[in-house]
Amino acid sequence: MSQAALFKLCGQVQQQKYPYLLKHHLLNITEFNNVISEITMDLHLREKTAIITGSARGIGAAIAKALAEEGVNVVITDINSEAAAEYAKDLVEQGHNAISVGSDISDPESVDLLQKATLEAFGGVDILVNNAGIVRDRGIIKMSVEDWDAVLSTNLKGSWLCSKAVLPSMAQRGWGRIVNISSRAHWGNPGQTNYSSAKAGVIGLTRSLAMEQGRRNITVNAVAPGFILTDGIKSLDHIEHIKAGALEKNTVPRLGEPEDIANIVTFLVSDRAGYINGELVHVSGGRYSG
């Protein structure tokens, strides 16, 4: 939370308790932390460092912003290095700590460079959000081997490579959080044998890593988004028809926003979720079929 946001919140909630703060803006760091703890759910994330893959836009960007607002040093990484740099610049201009690193998470050398850049900038890694993903939808007869390999390499192998890269730093610090973005498509979708297989594999990766790393105080969980209104989704042809179909299947009478995913991820990487490990959280508006 920015200092400006804190003052605004104090003005709305705690005017009588903190009149000196509002009148004089006199605040040392101890007072600042105490005030935040009293008027918000302090997630104890300040000064942590997070890598969020695929974070130049969409769900990844929303996650990066939510973590930055909690005081996390964020590493914006994306295969589109220019978009990543632009978004990191925006966050810095808003008063957050952010850097950008262009990376192809399906390439071990690129992931290694990402890890090294993060260590150089912030000294270590506390949080990894494996968000980057691609789709190449086709029925299996028309799906090429290249379509299969590309989706599995980015969506599953990429999550494995990034997790492998950051775990030594987390183990050294004695604390770590990994959140893998799966999808409700793990149940299966026609035309998505590659994507559904990858997202189901992400769940297996999550549970296996949770078993391996839990005793090191490193938790690993997964989030399965439903229909989320990203800019990419909004640009699709027949979007109104698509939205109507999704709404019909939701039990919550609205469609998801990237911030819905960011909210649960921010909780899962915090100390408040320290006893949650190896779990899959569906954020789908109650949509479990179709």
Side-chain angles (χ1 to χ4, degrees):
M1 177 182 294
S2 68
Q3 189 167 348
L6 173 64
F7 287 134
K8 181 178 180 181
L9 188 57
C10 284
Q12 295 171 343
V13 181
Q14 299 282 17
Q15 287 186 12
Q16 299 304 314
K17 192 169 184 180
Y18 299 107
Y20 76 94
L21 174 67
L22 300 173
K23 183 177 181 180
H24 301 293
H25 289 193
L26 297 176
L27 195 69
N28 62 39
I29 189 62
T30 300
E31 292 169 331
F32 179 74
N33 290 338
N34 288 341
V35 170
I36 288 180
S37 296
E38 290 192 33
I39 65 176
T40 68
M41 177 186 281
D42 187 2
L43 298 179
H44 304 291
L45 289 172
R46 287 185 295 281
E47 304 303 323
K48 301 289 188 186
T49 295
I51 296 173
I52 309 97
T53 67
S55 51
R57 61 190 181 92
I59 290 172
I63 293 169
K65 183 176 182 181
L67 293 179
E69 289 176 345
E70 293 293 333
V72 176
N73 306 317
V74 295
V75 179
I76 307 300
T77 184
D78 201 282
I79 198 165
N80 185 337
S81 58
E82 291 183 1
E86 184 176 345
Y87 189 56
K89 181 181 177 182
D90 288 345
L91 290 175
V92 170
E93 289 175 350
Q94 294 170 35
H96 305 304
N97 291 328
I99 65 167
S100 69
V101 183
S103 65
D104 175 1
I105 62 166
S106 68
D107 176 19
E109 291 184 5
S110 183
V111 171
D112 185 53
L113 291 174
L114 168 63
Q115 167 72 352
K116 288 179 178 178
T118 303
L119 293 178
E120 182 177 340
F122 298 119
V125 183
D126 304 288
I127 298 162
L128 169 67
V129 182
N130 283 311
N131 167 74
I134 64 171
V135 293
R136 289 194 181 178
D137 296 351
R138 288 180 178 84
I140 191 169
I141 301 302
K142 294 184 177 180
M143 185 178 292
S144 67
V145 173
E146 290 75 17
D147 292 331
W148 173 271
D149 286 345
V151 171
L152 270 290
S153 289
T154 297
N155 298 12
L156 182 55
K157 178 185 173 184
S159 297
W160 182 82
L161 284 172
C162 290
S163 298
K164 182 179 174 67
V166 302
L167 279 168
S169 179
M170 292 180 178
Q172 185 177 23
R173 293 182 170 211
W175 191 98
R177 298 287 186 267
I178 298 175
V179 177
N180 296 317
I181 304 301
S182 179
S183 167
R184 63 171 301 283
H186 74 85
W187 278 309
N189 273 337
Q192 288 193 320
T193 53
N194 50 5
Y195 186 77
S196 292
S197 296
K199 291 304 187 179
V202 163
I203 298 169
L205 172 66
T206 297
R207 290 176 175 156
S208 295
L209 278 179
M211 292 176 185
E212 284 187 15
Q213 302 300 323
R215 293 187 181 279
R216 297 182 178 183
N217 200 29
I218 300 169
T219 65
V220 188
N221 293 288
V223 173
F227 190 92
I228 304 297
L229 284 170
T230 62
D231 289 340
I233 292 293
K234 292 176 183 177
S235 68
L236 293 175
D237 293 336
H238 311 301
I239 181 59
E240 294 305 318
H241 176 73
I242 296 170
K243 286 166 62 176
L247 271 172
E248 186 178 326
K249 295 169 183 174
N250 278 12
T251 59
V252 174
R254 70 173 178 87
L255 297 177
E257 298 287 346
E259 290 74 20
D260 291 311
I261 309 306
N263 290 339
I264 185 62
V265 170
T266 302
F267 172 70
L268 287 173
V269 303
S270 74
D271 280 337
R272 301 272 180 170
Y275 201 53
I276 301 173
N277 194 29
E279 296 295 339
L280 171 66
V281 182
H282 285 90
V283 185
S284 61
R287 179 182 176 185
Y288 290 101
S289 63

